[in-house]
Amino acid sequence: MTSVTKPQWVPSEDRVQNAIVTDFMAWLDRQDRTKVNSFAELHHWSVKNIADFWSAAWDYFDLPGEKGAHVYTRNDQDIKASAWFSQSKINFAETLLRYRGDQEALVFWGEKGRQRSLSRDELYNEVSRLAQALLAQGIEPGDRVAGLMPNMPEAIIAMLATTAIGGVWSSASPDFGAQGILDRFGQIAPKVLIAPDSYDYNLKNHDVLGKVTDVVKEIPAIERVVVISWSGADLDLSGVPNAVDMRDFVDPYQPTEITFSRQGFDHPLYIMFSSGTTGAPKCIVHRAGGALMKQLVEHKFHGDLKENDRLFYFTTCGWMMWNWFAAGLGCGATLICYDGSPFAGSPTILFDLAEQEKVTHFGTSPKYLDTLKKAGESPIQKYKLPALRAIFSTGSPLLPEGFDFVYEHVKADVQLASIAGGTDILGCFMLGNPIGPVYRGEIQTPALGCAVSAFSDEGKPVADAKKSDAEADERGELVCTEPFPSMPLCFWGDEDGSRYNKAYFERFDNIWTHGDFLEVTENGGLIIHGRSDATLNPGGVRIGTAEIYRQVETLEEIREAIVVGQNWDGDVRVVLCVILQDGIEGLSEELIKKIKTRIRTGCTPRHVPAKVVAVADIPRTRSGKITELAVRDIINGREVGNKEALANPEALDLYRNIPALQED
């Protein structure tokens, strides 16, 4: 890739001077810990002096609890067993609830606009009442509480109440089918299930109680089902075993000061689930201290999220971005929760929200931005967003054209932070830099405290290969060569650790391999070229799928695309499936030629698909990500292991026995 030399955005001197990370660097100097003069120098120090960095972060954040003398001990034989803050006592919810007063903590929007809000004191009081009720129900440290929840205030309240008393929180979105819920919660045996009676999506109300009834009958560990009335109306729970209305569940308790259960750094906090498209979802257990510190570093130093800022992220409770979003409370920010379709009633309802709520940090996905672009929307002409300082984007790589759309059609003076990481680490390996420039198509920086690198197949940094061989590939496997606090504690039920080891450490010994195809640019930025397990290998040449999407999705005739490899004649050939825009009459030979020409000129001849076919839909996970592996399996005659992980499993049938793919 030709490195971009002119940035699309440069922070003002005022923004640089007032950034949290600028203050942190000055604090490090005053404390005689280190002297660094730039974000790049800070990152270099943070990965060369891991213990010093994370110790400094704890002190700078002034975390409530006991730090202890020990910070970090590296296990050279098994880095995932490295020890962090082994003498500490901490509680995740205590940090998130330490801001008190009458300022707004949570604001809730549905598809019809603003619904309600809670102040910091009101949030604290609701958490106090529910925590007391859960204690009375018998929840003890380490017990699991599961939420089948919309992104509403009660989801945040339930998570905080559970973790305040040392319980382990796990959540999924209510649009999951009964089997998908069982695949997740059935593995972890929660004592309490919290769910609504229904939820709204696309201006329609959808029942949840029927699924809840089926699930409870299959998970004997569930002792109590706490049901939230979505509309506020009275509930008929006679058909749901062990069910109680949330209002009745907390009614006996008055708000009191919460006695937070401080536990060790490694105390389980969350159980997260992998997408599960290739089998039963992995149950990823995250430690309280690691999640807290990683997310605060990301929000404060990378996102510049300050007290009284207003954070919005479009997410569901089944995606790790909900957990990431919730941690914004730990910065004293107001969380703007939205539940429903992002296009309900209006294609720009989320910008109605951003304008009315004076959002300072707006979180979205490349898919959302691309949909707005292709619909001809230009929010910059309709909305005044003077408070907006940062736009976050994740879920898939943000292509250069997505950067153009933001700066031309959303807001010119904004930090566009493409971020990437995942459920596996409950955070990001690469994020924004609020005091550095934004270059078109590039993620600004690797995460502080994470020794990110791109490795060749031989297990060596690609950067080293480039120095010795001008023809060396600039891209490689995304790895992290040193431990970091939010590495998973374990996988639930993985007694010997073999599944954990296979997931991240099988490729390169004792080095975390994340599964993304990474390029480091001459600017020091990063580009994700798609998942490495979905990387195409025609003729043995590795091709990242994002490189093809970048070209195809610039064509006005194409609404969306998915590219996979098909085993053919002893090799792998590239197959491109496209959804045509409304009004395009079929996939003509002329359009196929146009697509191939765009890919050939924009990439290389090796990227040109052998086959281009039109489809009506693309399978997605419930967090909205396209599922290249599932489509690849179907095209190659293999069945998908777990269709319940898909939001639209019926779309897989569109890829079975496509005539054009049965011939040369």
Side-chain angles (χ1 to χ4, degrees):
M1 173 179 176
T2 302
S3 187
V4 178
T5 57
K6 184 179 179 180
Q8 286 184 300
W9 177 82
V10 177
S12 67
E13 185 60 29
D14 181 68
R15 287 188 66 161
V16 172
Q17 291 302 317
N18 289 295
I20 296 173
V21 73
T22 301
D23 183 73
F24 177 59
M25 290 191 289
W27 179 87
L28 288 171
D29 189 18
R30 291 195 304 271
Q31 295 276 319
D32 292 325
R33 299 189 185 219
T34 189
K35 183 173 179 60
V36 292
N37 297 306
S38 67
F39 200 101
E41 288 183 14
L42 177 62
H43 180 267
H44 180 79
W45 175 77
S46 76
V47 297
K48 296 299 182 183
N49 304 273
I50 291 175
D52 293 341
F53 170 72
W54 290 105
S55 179
W58 181 302
D59 295 341
Y60 183 79
F61 297 150
D62 191 22
L63 297 181
E66 303 167 28
K67 181 183 178 185
H70 174 262
V71 175
Y72 162 72
T73 303
R74 190 185 199 276
N75 187 319
D76 292 333
Q77 282 69 48
D78 183 6
I79 66 167
K80 63 180 178 292
S82 298
W84 296 95
F85 297 96
S86 60
Q87 299 168 338
S88 66
K89 295 292 182 184
I90 199 167
N91 183 275
F92 183 83
E94 184 175 8
T95 296
L96 269 62
L97 288 169
R98 66 174 167 173
Y99 293 90
R100 303 288 293 274
D102 58 5
Q103 300 96 324
E104 285 183 322
L106 299 178
V107 176
F108 178 45
W109 273 57
E111 294 183 333
K112 297 178 182 178
R114 190 186 235 245
Q115 303 297 305
R116 53 197 163 96
S117 70
L118 282 81
S119 71
R120 293 171 178 174
D121 283 347
E122 288 170 335
L123 172 62
Y124 188 97
N125 289 341
E126 291 304 309
V127 172
S128 171
R129 296 175 71 209
L130 182 54
Q132 293 175 66
L134 291 172
L135 283 170
Q137 183 62 42
I139 297 298
E140 299 178 349
D143 286 343
R144 277 78 60 209
V145 175
L148 185 67
M149 294 293 292
N151 183 19
M152 62 193 301
E154 284 78 6
I156 302 284
I157 291 166
M159 179 274 287
L160 291 171
T162 299
T163 58
I165 62 177
V168 183
W169 174 257
S170 192
S171 62
S173 175
D175 61 345
F176 276 88
Q179 188 57 53
I181 300 165
L182 286 170
D183 286 345
R184 287 157 175 79
F185 296 160
Q187 295 188 66
I188 64 172
K191 277 190 176 181
V192 173
L193 174 65
I194 302 176
D197 63 323
S198 64
Y199 67 97
D200 291 341
Y201 192 84
N202 210 18
L203 302 178
K204 294 181 181 179
N205 187 253
H206 302 266
D207 176 71
V208 177
L209 284 185
K211 290 186 285 192
V212 168
T213 302
D214 293 340
V215 166
V216 174
K217 291 176 180 176
E218 296 294 328
I219 305 179
I222 296 176
E223 299 173 358
R224 177 64 78 185
V225 181
V226 181
V227 182
I228 298 155
S229 175
W230 175 254
S231 67
D234 291 340
L235 296 174
D236 177 8
L237 302 178
S238 57
V240 186
N242 305 318
V244 60
D245 189 312
M246 171 72 92
R247 293 165 292 196
D248 296 330
F249 190 57
V250 301
D251 185 64
Y253 307 100
Q254 295 300 312
T256 62
E257 287 299 309
I258 301 169
T259 302
F260 293 99
S261 176
R262 290 181 177 175
Q263 303 286 336
F265 194 86
D266 287 353
H267 183 72
L269 172 76
Y270 291 138
I271 298 178
M272 309 295 295
F273 303 103
S274 66
S275 60
T277 52
T278 57
K282 296 188 290 289
C283 304
I284 306 170
V285 183
H286 283 287
R287 62 193 95 201
L292 179 63
M293 295 199 68
K294 181 79 170 95
Q295 292 175 346
L296 287 181
V297 163
E298 295 185 2
H299 281 312
K300 286 177 174 282
F301 298 157
H302 289 277
D304 201 35
L305 187 67
K306 301 173 180 175
E307 185 174 358
N308 298 319
D309 277 343
R310 298 172 73 82
L311 171 65
F312 164 76
Y313 216 106
F314 180 73
T315 181
T316 73
C317 294
W319 188 23
M320 60 79 54
M321 290 310 297
W322 179 84
N323 307 75
W324 189 88
F325 164 70
L329 289 171
C331 304
T334 301
L335 303 186
I336 315 297
C337 306
Y338 177 87
D339 196 77
S341 166
F343 305 107
S346 162
T348 54
I349 186 174
L350 298 187
F351 285 98
D352 293 335
L353 174 155
E355 183 179 64
Q356 293 179 39
E357 298 297 342
K358 298 180 173 57
V359 166
T360 59
H361 297 69
F362 183 94
T364 184
S365 67
K367 172 61 178 172
Y368 175 75
L369 295 172
D370 189 58
T371 300
L372 290 179
K373 174 187 172 185
K374 291 188 172 177
E377 294 290 341
S378 185
I380 201 170
Q381 299 183 23
K382 296 163 58 177
Y383 296 94
K384 294 186 179 355
L385 303 169
L388 185 62
R389 303 200 313 271
I391 293 176
F392 301 133
S393 173
T394 194
S396 60
L398 182 63
L399 303 179
E401 291 73 22
F403 282 72
D404 297 341
F405 177 77
V406 166
Y407 285 112
E408 294 170 13
H409 295 282
V410 180
K411 189 175 183 182
D413 183 20
V414 71
Q415 179 199 0
L416 176 55
S418 179
I419 62 179
T423 303
D424 318 80
I425 65 170
L426 211 59
C428 303
F429 275 130
M430 50 203 75
L431 309 98
N433 168 9
I435 62 173
V438 172
Y439 291 94
R440 183 176 187 261
E442 298 183 16
I443 301 175
Q444 288 178 280
T445 178
L448 293 169
C450 290
V452 171
S453 183
F455 265 26
S456 67
D457 289 342
E458 291 73 35
K460 302 295 182 184
V462 169
D464 293 346
K466 287 168 63 178
K467 292 174 185 175
S468 59
D469 182 358
E471 299 300 318
D473 196 339
E474 298 176 331
R475 302 153 301 173
E477 286 278 357
L478 167 56
V479 301
C480 192
T481 58
E482 295 292 338
F484 50 95
S486 69
M487 293 173 75
L489 182 64
C490 61
F491 287 177
W492 189 266
D494 181 28
E495 301 299 337
D496 62 358
S498 58
R499 294 182 68 202
Y500 187 171
N501 195 71
K502 181 179 179 181
Y504 311 116
F505 295 98
E506 191 171 62
R507 181 76 188 275
F508 302 117
D509 184 46
N510 214 25
I511 290 176
W512 177 287
T513 305
H514 196 58
D516 282 332
F517 203 27
L518 173 67
E519 175 185 353
V520 181
T521 74
E522 293 179 9
N523 297 318
L526 306 107
I527 299 172
I528 298 292
H529 291 286
R531 293 291 295 172
S532 57
D533 51 9
T535 298
L536 309 171
N537 290 278
V541 178
R542 302 180 81 199
I543 295 173
T545 55
E547 299 170 89
I548 296 176
Y549 296 139
R550 175 183 174 186
Q551 303 304 319
V552 174
E553 293 179 5
T554 63
L555 298 171
E556 60 184 14
E557 297 92 342
I558 307 301
R559 188 195 318 165
E560 198 170 9
I562 187 167
V563 61
V564 298
Q566 182 189 20
N567 299 329
W568 190 262
D569 196 24
D571 196 1
V572 174
R573 66 180 182 183
V574 178
V575 172
L576 176 67
C577 305
V578 298
I579 300 178
L580 302 175
Q581 290 282 21
D582 295 339
I584 303 297
E585 296 295 330
L587 185 62
S588 65
E589 288 300 320
E590 182 181 359
L591 180 53
I592 291 174
K593 182 178 179 181
K594 181 178 181 180
I595 292 169
K596 290 185 175 183
T597 300
R598 175 63 59 85
I599 295 170
R600 180 179 289 106
T601 56
C603 298
T604 72
R606 291 192 182 95
H607 290 73
V608 176
K611 294 287 182 177
V612 181
V613 297
V615 292
D617 199 5
I618 291 175
R620 296 182 174 279
T621 66
R622 294 183 180 274
S623 60
K625 298 179 182 179
I626 62 173
T627 57
E628 294 165 333
L629 297 182
V631 170
R632 184 190 68 186
D633 285 348
I634 293 295
I635 283 177
N636 284 297
R638 299 186 293 268
E639 282 303 313
V640 175
N642 187 3
K643 296 178 184 177
E644 279 289 337
L646 301 177
N648 56 338
E650 67 282 355
L652 289 175
D653 293 333
L654 302 173
Y655 298 83
R656 297 182 193 278
N657 303 315
I658 297 175
L661 303 187
Q662 312 308 312
E663 56 192 36
D664 291 327

